[in-house]
Amino acid sequence: MAGKIPQQFIDDLLGRVDIVDVIEADIPLKKAGKDFQALCPFHGEKTPSFTVSQEKQFYHCFGCGAHGSALGFVMNYRGLNFVEAVEELANLVGLEMPSREGELINTPDYSPLYSALEAAQAFFIQQLRSHPQKQRVVDYLKARGLTGQ
């Protein structure tokens, strides 16, 4: 898929997905009051500190601090990138991914910034080679663990 996934599609997707169903496909959850609990899949533990809120549609681990939506869980637990995770959740709820093939995406032209950075780099290299106090700076950089390379 080329281009960006529209935010409206992502919002619609998260509105249709039930985080409990998504997480329960990978780890067993137990009802605990109005929420669900499990052993955290992101770190080893003996007592459950991983909580899933069906009402708020997010998960949180009080042990390691992991938290997020169904999309974040799929990315972190299954090791998928953003687009792969969106595709997987879309397939789960029967949504068709928006097609953006052939569309031109307006991206900013960063070439002037790159030119400015290259000019700054050349200036600082020149200063390190010719400034009267260059040895003071070189000594400082060596003390910080940097080499001439």
Side-chain angles (χ1 to χ4, degrees):
M1 177 178 158
K4 297 180 182 179
I5 301 172
Q7 185 63 45
Q8 182 178 357
F9 179 80
I10 295 167
D11 294 341
D12 185 36
L13 176 64
L14 289 175
R16 292 180 186 214
V17 168
D18 183 2
I19 192 166
V20 172
D21 294 338
V22 171
I23 294 176
E24 210 159 34
D26 293 316
I27 61 171
L29 296 175
K30 289 186 179 180
K31 186 81 168 154
K34 64 179 181 173
D35 296 329
F36 293 81
Q37 285 187 336
L39 294 175
C40 181
F42 302 115
H43 78 282
E45 62 183 3
K46 293 181 181 179
T47 59
S49 64
F50 184 78
T51 303
V52 180
S53 172
Q54 192 167 35
E55 178 184 330
K56 297 176 184 174
Q57 289 295 301
F58 75 87
Y59 69 91
H60 180 79
C61 176
F62 292 95
C64 69
H67 64 277
S69 66
L71 187 56
F73 180 83
V74 170
M75 289 171 60
N76 293 328
Y77 186 76
R78 299 180 190 167
L80 302 177
N81 67 36
F82 179 76
V83 174
E84 292 168 339
V86 170
E87 288 174 346
E88 186 161 319
L89 290 180
N91 288 336
L92 180 70
V93 295
L95 280 179
E96 187 174 328
M97 290 290 290
S99 175
R100 308 268 306 215
E101 295 297 326
E103 260 186 56
L104 293 176
I105 302 297
N106 292 333
T107 56
D109 179 17
Y110 292 116
S111 57
L113 293 175
Y114 294 138
S115 297
L117 289 171
E118 288 171 4
Q121 177 186 12
F123 170 78
F124 287 114
I125 288 172
Q126 184 269 333
Q127 289 295 308
L128 279 172
R129 291 185 179 147
S130 63
H131 193 276
Q133 293 184 355
K134 68 179 180 182
Q135 194 56 48
R136 183 175 168 204
V137 174
V138 169
D139 292 341
Y140 169 78
L141 294 173
K142 284 181 180 178
R144 297 290 308 261
L146 296 173
T147 66
Q149 295 175 347

